[in-house]
Coordinates of all heavy atoms in Angstrom, one line a residue:
G1 N -64.0 -42.3 -75.8 CA -62.9 -41.6 -75.3 C -62.1 -42.3 -74.2 O -61.2 -41.7 -73.7
F2 N -62.4 -43.6 -73.9 CA -61.6 -44.3 -73.0 C -60.7 -45.2 -73.7 O -60.9 -45.6 -74.9 CB -62.6 -45.2 -72.1 CG -63.2 -44.3 -71.0 CD1 -63.7 -43.1 -71.2 CD2 -63.4 -44.9 -69.7 CE1 -64.3 -42.4 -70.2 CE2 -64.0 -44.2 -68.7 CZ -64.5 -42.9 -68.9
D3 N -59.6 -45.7 -73.0 CA -58.7 -46.7 -73.5 C -58.5 -47.7 -72.3 O -57.5 -47.5 -71.5 CB -57.4 -46.0 -73.9 CG -56.4 -47.0 -74.6 OD1 -56.7 -48.2 -74.6 OD2 -55.3 -46.6 -75.1
V4 N -59.3 -48.7 -72.2 CA -59.3 -49.5 -71.0 C -58.9 -51.0 -71.3 O -59.2 -51.5 -72.4 CB -60.7 -49.5 -70.4 CG1 -61.0 -48.1 -69.9 CG2 -61.8 -50.0 -71.3
H5 N -58.4 -51.6 -70.3 CA -58.0 -53.0 -70.4 C -59.3 -53.9 -70.2 O -60.1 -53.7 -69.4 CB -57.1 -53.4 -69.3 CG -56.5 -54.8 -69.4 ND1 -57.3 -55.9 -68.9 CD2 -55.4 -55.3 -69.8 CE1 -56.6 -57.0 -69.0 NE2 -55.5 -56.7 -69.6
N6 N -59.4 -54.9 -71.1 CA -60.5 -55.8 -71.1 C -59.9 -57.2 -70.5 O -59.0 -57.6 -71.1 CB -61.0 -56.0 -72.5 CG -62.1 -57.1 -72.5 OD1 -62.9 -57.1 -71.6 ND2 -62.2 -57.9 -73.6
P7 N -60.4 -57.6 -69.4 CA -61.6 -57.3 -68.7 C -61.4 -56.5 -67.3 O -62.4 -56.4 -66.6 CB -62.2 -58.6 -68.4 CG -61.1 -59.5 -68.1 CD -59.9 -58.9 -68.9
V8 N -60.2 -56.0 -67.0 CA -59.9 -55.4 -65.7 C -60.8 -54.3 -65.4 O -61.4 -54.2 -64.3 CB -58.4 -55.1 -65.6 CG1 -58.2 -54.3 -64.3 CG2 -57.5 -56.3 -65.6
F9 N -61.0 -53.4 -66.4 CA -61.7 -52.1 -66.2 C -63.2 -52.6 -65.9 O -63.8 -52.1 -64.9 CB -61.7 -51.2 -67.4 CG -62.5 -49.9 -67.2 CD1 -61.9 -48.8 -66.7 CD2 -63.8 -50.0 -67.6 CE1 -62.7 -47.7 -66.6 CE2 -64.6 -48.8 -67.4 CZ -64.0 -47.7 -67.0
G10 N -63.8 -53.4 -66.8 CA -65.2 -53.7 -66.6 C -65.5 -54.4 -65.3 O -66.5 -54.1 -64.7
I11 N -64.7 -55.4 -65.0 CA -65.0 -56.2 -63.8 C -64.8 -55.3 -62.5 O -65.6 -55.3 -61.6 CB -64.1 -57.4 -63.7 CG1 -64.5 -58.4 -64.8 CG2 -64.2 -58.1 -62.3 CD1 -63.6 -59.6 -64.8
S12 N -63.8 -54.4 -62.5 CA -63.5 -53.5 -61.4 C -64.7 -52.6 -61.3 O -65.2 -52.4 -60.1 CB -62.2 -52.8 -61.6 OG -61.1 -53.6 -61.7
A13 N -65.1 -52.0 -62.3 CA -66.2 -51.0 -62.3 C -67.5 -51.7 -61.8 O -68.3 -51.1 -61.0 CB -66.4 -50.3 -63.7
G14 N -67.7 -52.9 -62.3 CA -68.9 -53.7 -61.9 C -69.0 -54.0 -60.4 O -70.0 -53.9 -59.8
L15 N -67.8 -54.5 -59.9 CA -67.7 -54.8 -58.5 C -67.9 -53.6 -57.6 O -68.5 -53.6 -56.5 CB -66.4 -55.5 -58.2 CG -66.2 -56.9 -58.7 CD1 -64.8 -57.4 -58.5 CD2 -67.2 -57.8 -58.1
I16 N -67.4 -52.4 -58.1 CA -67.6 -51.2 -57.3 C -69.0 -50.8 -57.3 O -69.5 -50.3 -56.3 CB -66.7 -50.1 -58.0 CG1 -65.2 -50.3 -57.7 CG2 -67.1 -48.7 -57.4 CD1 -64.3 -49.5 -58.6
L17 N -69.7 -50.9 -58.4 CA -71.2 -50.7 -58.5 C -72.0 -51.6 -57.5 O -72.9 -51.1 -56.8 CB -71.7 -50.8 -59.9 CG -73.2 -50.6 -60.2 CD1 -73.5 -49.1 -59.8 CD2 -73.5 -50.8 -61.6
L18 N -71.6 -52.8 -57.5 CA -72.3 -53.8 -56.6 C -72.0 -53.4 -55.2 O -72.9 -53.5 -54.3 CB -71.7 -55.2 -56.8 CG -72.3 -55.9 -58.1 CD1 -71.6 -57.3 -58.2 CD2 -73.8 -56.1 -58.0
F19 N -70.8 -52.9 -54.9 CA -70.5 -52.5 -53.5 C -71.4 -51.3 -53.1 O -71.9 -51.2 -52.0 CB -69.0 -52.2 -53.4 CG -68.7 -51.5 -52.1 CD1 -68.5 -52.3 -51.0 CD2 -68.7 -50.1 -51.9 CE1 -68.2 -51.7 -49.7 CE2 -68.4 -49.5 -50.7 CZ -68.1 -50.4 -49.6
L20 N -71.5 -50.3 -54.0 CA -72.3 -49.2 -53.7 C -73.8 -49.5 -53.5 O -74.4 -49.0 -52.6 CB -72.2 -48.2 -54.9 CG -70.9 -47.4 -55.0 CD1 -70.9 -46.5 -56.2 CD2 -70.8 -46.5 -53.7
L21 N -74.3 -50.5 -54.3 CA -75.7 -50.9 -54.1 C -75.9 -51.6 -52.8 O -76.8 -51.4 -52.0 CB -76.1 -51.9 -55.3 CG -76.3 -51.2 -56.6 CD1 -76.5 -52.3 -57.7 CD2 -77.4 -50.2 -56.6
A22 N -74.9 -52.4 -52.4 CA -74.9 -53.1 -51.1 C -74.8 -52.1 -50.0 O -75.5 -52.2 -49.0 CB -73.7 -54.1 -51.0
A23 N -74.0 -51.0 -50.1 CA -73.9 -50.0 -49.1 C -75.3 -49.3 -48.9 O -75.6 -48.9 -47.8 CB -72.8 -49.0 -49.5
I24 N -76.0 -49.2 -50.0 CA -77.3 -48.5 -49.9 C -78.4 -49.3 -49.2 O -79.1 -48.8 -48.4 CB -77.8 -48.0 -51.3 CG1 -76.9 -47.0 -51.9 CG2 -79.2 -47.5 -51.3 CD1 -77.1 -46.7 -53.3
F25 N -78.3 -50.6 -49.5 CA -79.4 -51.5 -49.1 C -79.1 -52.2 -47.8 O -80.1 -52.7 -47.1 CB -79.8 -52.4 -50.1 CG -80.5 -51.7 -51.3 CD1 -79.8 -51.6 -52.5 CD2 -81.8 -51.2 -51.2 CE1 -80.4 -51.0 -53.6 CE2 -82.3 -50.5 -52.3 CZ -81.6 -50.4 -53.5
L26 N -77.9 -52.4 -47.4 CA -77.5 -53.1 -46.2 C -77.4 -52.2 -45.0 O -77.0 -51.0 -45.2 CB -76.1 -53.9 -46.4 CG -76.2 -55.0 -47.5 CD1 -74.8 -55.6 -47.6 CD2 -77.2 -56.1 -47.1
D27 N -77.7 -52.7 -43.9 CA -77.6 -51.9 -42.6 C -76.1 -51.7 -42.3 O -75.3 -52.6 -42.2 CB -78.2 -52.7 -41.4 CG -78.1 -51.9 -40.2 OD1 -78.9 -50.9 -40.0 OD2 -77.2 -52.2 -39.4
P28 N -75.6 -50.4 -42.3 CA -74.2 -50.1 -42.1 C -73.7 -50.6 -40.7 O -72.5 -51.0 -40.7 CB -74.2 -48.6 -42.1 CG -75.6 -48.1 -41.9 CD -76.5 -49.1 -42.4
H29 N -74.5 -50.6 -39.7 CA -74.1 -51.1 -38.4 C -73.8 -52.6 -38.4 O -72.8 -53.1 -38.0 CB -75.1 -50.8 -37.3 CG -74.7 -51.3 -36.0 ND1 -73.7 -50.7 -35.2 CD2 -75.1 -52.4 -35.3 CE1 -73.5 -51.5 -34.1 NE2 -74.4 -52.5 -34.1
E30 N -74.7 -53.3 -39.1 CA -74.5 -54.8 -39.2 C -73.3 -55.1 -40.1 O -72.5 -56.1 -39.8 CB -75.8 -55.4 -39.7 CG -77.0 -55.4 -38.7 CD -78.2 -56.1 -39.2 OE1 -78.1 -56.6 -40.4 OE2 -79.2 -56.2 -38.5
T31 N -73.2 -54.3 -41.2 CA -72.1 -54.6 -42.1 C -70.7 -54.3 -41.4 O -69.8 -55.1 -41.5 CB -72.2 -53.6 -43.3 OG1 -73.5 -53.9 -43.9 CG2 -71.1 -53.9 -44.3
K32 N -70.7 -53.2 -40.7 CA -69.5 -52.8 -39.9 C -69.2 -54.0 -38.9 O -68.0 -54.3 -38.8 CB -69.6 -51.5 -39.2 CG -68.4 -51.1 -38.4 CD -68.6 -49.8 -37.7 CE -67.4 -49.4 -36.8 NZ -67.2 -50.4 -35.7
T33 N -70.2 -54.4 -38.2 CA -69.9 -55.4 -37.2 C -69.3 -56.7 -37.8 O -68.4 -57.3 -37.3 CB -71.2 -55.8 -36.4 OG1 -71.7 -54.6 -35.8 CG2 -71.0 -56.8 -35.4
A34 N -69.9 -57.1 -38.9 CA -69.5 -58.3 -39.6 C -68.0 -58.2 -40.1 O -67.2 -59.1 -39.9 CB -70.4 -58.7 -40.8
L35 N -67.8 -57.0 -40.8 CA -66.5 -56.9 -41.4 C -65.4 -56.6 -40.3 O -64.3 -57.1 -40.4 CB -66.5 -55.7 -42.3 CG -67.2 -55.9 -43.7 CD1 -67.2 -54.6 -44.5 CD2 -66.5 -57.0 -44.5
D36 N -65.8 -56.0 -39.2 CA -64.9 -55.8 -38.0 C -64.5 -57.2 -37.4 O -63.4 -57.5 -37.1 CB -65.5 -55.0 -36.9 CG -65.1 -53.5 -37.1 OD1 -64.2 -53.2 -37.8 OD2 -65.8 -52.7 -36.4
G37 N -65.5 -58.1 -37.4 CA -65.2 -59.5 -36.9 C -64.2 -60.2 -37.8 O -63.3 -60.8 -37.3
I38 N -64.4 -60.1 -39.1 CA -63.4 -60.7 -40.0 C -62.0 -60.1 -39.8 O -61.0 -60.8 -39.8 CB -63.9 -60.5 -41.5 CG1 -65.2 -61.3 -41.7 CG2 -62.8 -61.0 -42.5 CD1 -65.8 -61.0 -43.0

């Protein structure tokens, strides 16, 4: 039922999933500190 661009949809969805996994397993304070520094 989808009509998606290959590979934009797949890579975007995959990177979003990786981000969510990182958010679950990484310490949010340390992540915020590092990204704030950048």
Side-chain angles (χ1 to χ4, degrees):
F2 281 40
D3 184 356
V4 298
H5 184 279
N6 178 40
V8 171
F9 180 92
I11 294 177
S12 298
L15 290 173
I16 291 164
L17 178 61
L18 284 176
F19 173 82
L20 284 173
L21 291 173
I24 292 171
F25 293 108
L26 294 177
D27 179 81
H29 177 72
E30 291 182 1
T31 304
K32 177 181 178 297
T33 301
L35 289 174
D36 266 345
I38 296 171

